[in-house]
Amino acid sequence: MDVFAAMGIAGFGKKPKQRQLDPNRFEKNKRGDTGTLASSSAAAIKTEGNAPSHTTSSAPSGLSAESRESDSEDVGPPLPPPHFKDDNDQEEPEFDASDDDLDQPRLPITHELILKDHTKVVSALTMDPSGARVVSGSHDYDCKLWDFGGMDWRCKPFKTWEPAGSYHIHDVKFSNDGQQFLVISGTAQAKMYDRDGEELATYIKGDPYIRDMKNTAGHVAELTCCAWHPKDPQTFITSSVDSTIRIWDVENKRKQKTVIVVKSKERGARTKVTACGYSPDGALIGGACMDGALHMWQTKSNFVRPSMSIEGAHAKGTETGSLVFSLDGQTVLTRGGDDTVKLWDIRSFKRPLVSRSGLATLYPNTNAIFSPDNRYVVTGAGATTKGGRGHLLFMAKDTLETVKDLEVESTPVRVYWHSKINQILTGLSSGQICVLYSPDMSVNGAKLPLNKGPPRKATVEDMSDAVAAPTIITPHALPMFRDSEIGRSTKRKREKERMDPRKSHRPELPVTGPGRGGRVGASATQHVVQNLVRDTTRDEDPREALLKLAATADENPVWTAAWRANQPKPVFAPVEDEEEGEEKR
């Protein structure tokens, strides 16, 4: 830069204007409350509710946002009053962040972004591994693709389609490489799409008249759930109401690889499989059934009978919404339709480690998940009254006691916590998708639309530039769009193609002349009569017709030319006149 300054051209050219982002751009999406703390008293809740605004307004500009975040999410008894004084120095937040971080939950729930485009309950929700795209499915029969990087302040999806006509969407799952995702609807066929929403495959439907489910090539009843193999991106499983879990190969859509027939102890030996899942190492496949049973199969077995099984894991006749393995693969979390969340240990698979009841379940797709750090369990609880507000519960993994009770607009059905961007997606019964995040702890995701800022308004200079030097765009001006070689005139070629009715796509000319209804002539069959060729062979004498050719046959015989040399001449008796014959008599 010093060299350019010495040459006198340091300030050459116009410096591009950089758009200044509003430092308070996230404040308009800040939640009014960060949830109710379960273990603190009413006074403590009130103190914490007032703490963030007090600290934000009075703290100096050098305070880190992490300290404010930790203040708003304290768990336990209220902090001493000196912590909230206005004369705090800048070293105190650093001390809080280092000492109290391990004891206080760090949940990205201070801000929210609402994605509203569905009209009914969001029953399926997932994100790709990079955290850039969201796929949602709903009871309005639509699937929608959202892209955080391409969204503006309106927050609209870039693609909407109906995967299965008038069938509800039950589940969507992205593959581990993020290049494709599965859509599970109320039909018997799973569908595969690429990350742009283009359909790749529709997997086959089985024969519903075959009794033995092992002999059918696909599911014969409504699908309920799906899961990808954690290690093999070419394998996934689907569960169905036909009492089977089927293992599929991505490339083979004509038949599944393996069938797991789930047998029930109820009459008929069949039950509906409502949830399925893989363990993190891919060694186990879990399935939850309508009869209340919970089964586990080892993937190396022949799947004749489950390796582990619990009868009555949940109430009989209720739909278990989800089955999730923990990161270490030793714990299984189930969200039952009997308003319970239960934690199971694979090593002692007899009774639940801990159970939590009283969680209202209004939709069978309601799920429960582990947090990325494996410390919390997150699930939704339905509204107690019609049109009431729902609750998103953050519970400790070991005890299932509520750590935070977050109130949302309506009943939360699907919950998804992305570990890479550290944001929580919640599908609500009102059709909205609530994205919870924190400007300090979260990365990209819901922050991207706000980082773009509002659209820039056109200025007078912009308008004057456009009027003074308008941009003229002519078709086929660039060589890459030309059909012929560069430099060769195409005028004659175009004139010749213009005369060709096929290449110029000339429509058929209208009928001209006398007639009606588009036909020339007085009657509808006249054009047929005119094309007929009259056969006159019946009017001719056959003897005369043959004699016409006699002279030609004698002069130039075609078939008897080889016999001319030795063919004897016929001798005929003389023909007497009839009158002479009568006189001789």
Side-chain angles (χ1 to χ4, degrees):
M1 196 65 185
D2 297 334
V3 177
F4 289 113
M7 296 174 63
I9 58 173
F12 182 75
K14 181 187 282 188
K15 184 179 180 180
K17 294 183 179 180
Q18 294 182 352
R19 182 180 298 179
Q20 296 294 331
L21 295 176
D22 184 9
N24 299 323
R25 60 188 180 277
F26 297 116
E27 295 302 319
K28 61 182 179 180
N29 289 337
K30 190 171 184 177
R31 292 181 55 87
D33 60 334
T34 56
T36 304
L37 303 181
S39 59
S40 35
S41 61
I45 297 171
K46 183 177 179 181
T47 305
E48 285 209 1
N50 297 332
S53 59
H54 184 72
T55 307
T56 304
S57 60
S58 59
S61 59
L63 277 173
S64 65
E66 292 183 0
S67 63
R68 297 194 297 270
E69 181 66 20
S70 62
D71 293 344
S72 64
E73 294 177 354
D74 287 338
V75 178
L79 296 175
H83 182 76
F84 299 102
K85 288 184 178 180
D86 292 345
D87 55 353
N88 290 344
D89 54 0
Q90 297 183 4
E91 297 179 357
E92 189 171 0
E94 297 179 2
F95 173 80
D96 292 341
S98 61
D99 291 351
D100 299 341
D101 236 8
L102 298 176
D103 299 333
Q104 300 168 1
R106 302 281 293 167
L107 305 176
I109 56 174
T110 57
H111 296 66
E112 66 178 0
L113 179 68
I114 301 297
L115 308 179
K116 181 167 178 57
D117 207 61
H118 286 291
T119 57
K120 292 185 180 180
V121 53
V122 179
S123 55
L125 194 63
T126 189
M127 291 187 73
D128 69 334
S130 64
R133 292 194 173 179
V134 179
V135 181
S136 60
S138 170
H139 283 188
D140 59 6
Y141 318 133
D142 285 344
C143 266
K144 296 182 186 291
L145 265 170
W146 316 72
D147 187 88
F148 284 124
M151 281 196 300
D152 55 7
W153 56 273
R154 293 172 295 181
C155 298
K156 292 296 181 182
F158 71 89
K159 183 164 186 179
T160 301
W161 77 100
E162 287 186 0
S166 57
Y167 286 92
H168 293 170
I169 309 301
H170 290 166
D171 198 7
V172 289
K173 291 283 173 55
F174 254 105
S175 62
N176 297 329
D177 57 1
Q179 297 302 315
Q180 51 200 6
F181 61 89
L182 280 169
V183 175
I184 301 299
S185 62
T187 63
Q189 295 178 281
K191 290 194 174 183
M192 179 87 66
Y193 295 85
D194 64 6
R195 61 181 288 107
D196 295 323
E198 299 297 328
E199 184 175 336
L200 298 177
T202 299
Y203 293 88
I204 194 169
K205 178 183 178 181
D207 189 348
Y209 298 103
I210 296 179
R211 174 68 181 171
D212 188 0
M213 288 294 101
K214 284 194 172 183
N215 295 327
T216 60
H219 287 290
V220 298
E222 176 184 4
L223 298 177
T224 57
C225 187
C226 68
W228 287 89
H229 194 288
K231 305 292 185 183
D232 184 7
Q234 298 296 314
T235 304
F236 65 91
I237 59 174
T238 55
S239 61
S240 171
V241 175
D242 63 4
S243 189
T244 63
I245 297 176
R246 297 177 189 261
I247 305 175
W248 299 83
D249 185 359
V250 169
E251 302 298 332
N252 185 9
K253 59 183 179 180
R254 303 299 301 171
K255 190 176 182 180
Q256 75 277 338
K257 291 169 62 176
T258 313
V259 182
I260 304 175
V261 179
V262 182
K263 296 179 181 179
S264 174
K265 292 186 177 180
E266 302 294 326
R267 184 177 180 182
R270 285 193 179 186
T271 183
K272 298 178 181 179
V273 184
T274 58
C276 63
Y278 267 110
S279 62
D281 56 358
L284 287 176
I285 293 177
C289 305
M290 183 75 93
D291 62 354
L294 184 62
H295 303 290
M296 297 287 166
W297 292 268
Q298 290 186 354
T299 53
K300 295 182 179 179
S301 65
N302 55 4
F303 303 111
V304 173
R305 58 180 57 87
S307 305
M308 295 175 284
S309 183
I310 296 180
E311 299 293 336
H314 286 279
K316 178 183 173 182
T318 60
E319 296 188 36
T320 303
S322 68
L323 183 149
V324 185
F325 285 84
S326 61
L327 295 178
D328 57 4
Q330 303 297 333
T331 312
V332 178
L333 176 69
T334 56
R335 177 68 162 93
D338 53 356
D339 300 345
T340 61
V341 171
K342 294 185 179 181
L343 214 59
W344 311 84
D345 192 344
I346 296 296
R347 293 162 293 189
S348 62
F349 204 60
K350 294 181 179 180
R351 58 182 59 89
L353 289 175
V354 61
S355 177
R356 171 74 182 269
S357 59
L359 306 175
T361 307
L362 303 183
Y363 296 92
N365 300 101
T366 305
N367 70 331
I369 59 171
F370 287 107
S371 63
D373 58 1
N374 213 28
R375 295 174 59 188
Y376 305 105
V377 171
V378 187
T379 187
T384 55
T385 59
K386 184 177 181 181
R389 297 175 70 86
H391 297 269
L392 190 64
L393 301 177
F394 295 84
M395 301 175 287
K397 177 190 172 185
D398 298 331
T399 60
L400 290 186
E401 293 181 358
T402 303
V403 175
K404 273 201 181 297
D405 184 352
L406 199 67
E407 198 173 70
V408 290
E409 182 181 350
S410 57
T411 302
V413 180
R414 303 295 286 189
V415 185
Y416 188 90
W417 193 334
H418 199 284
S419 58
K420 188 171 183 179
I421 63 175
N422 196 21
Q423 298 181 17
I424 304 171
L425 276 74
T426 306
L428 306 179
S429 60
S430 61
Q432 296 181 354
I433 300 174
C434 180
V435 185
L436 299 170
Y437 68 98
S438 170
D440 309 316
M441 293 184 291
S442 301
V443 181
N444 295 335
K447 296 170 62 177
L448 292 178
L450 298 175
N451 286 338
K452 292 182 178 179
R456 189 169 64 91
K457 296 181 180 179
T459 60
V460 178
E461 290 79 5
D462 296 335
M463 298 301 294
S464 61
D465 292 343
V467 173
T471 303
I472 301 175
I473 302 175
T474 58
H476 305 291
L478 298 175
M480 61 184 295
F481 294 114
R482 293 175 185 169
D483 297 333
S484 60
E485 297 179 4
I486 301 174
R488 179 177 297 181
S489 175
T490 58
K491 181 179 179 181
R492 291 187 180 181
K493 183 180 179 182
R494 288 199 307 269
E495 290 178 353
K496 185 177 180 181
E497 291 179 352
R498 186 64 180 168
M499 298 303 294
D500 187 357
R502 185 181 296 275
K503 289 186 178 181
S504 61
H505 303 287
R506 185 178 67 181
E508 294 185 2
L509 299 177
V511 178
T512 57
R516 72 172 105 179
R519 300 180 183 276
V520 179
S523 65
T525 59
Q526 187 171 355
H527 68 288
V528 179
V529 176
Q530 290 175 351
N531 293 333
L532 293 178
V533 179
R534 187 177 180 185
D535 191 4
T536 58
T537 54
R538 289 183 175 231
D539 300 336
E540 288 187 61
D541 184 10
R543 184 172 178 275
E544 293 180 359
L546 291 172
L547 289 176
K548 286 180 182 179
L549 304 175
T552 308
D554 292 339
E555 295 176 0
N556 187 19
V558 179
W559 309 107
T560 60
W563 301 337
R564 266 188 169 182
N566 54 3
Q567 182 69 18
K569 292 184 179 181
V571 179
F572 301 103
V575 180
E576 298 179 356
D577 296 337
E578 295 180 358
E579 297 179 355
E580 295 178 357
E582 290 178 357
E583 292 178 355
K584 288 181 180 180
R585 289 176 186 176

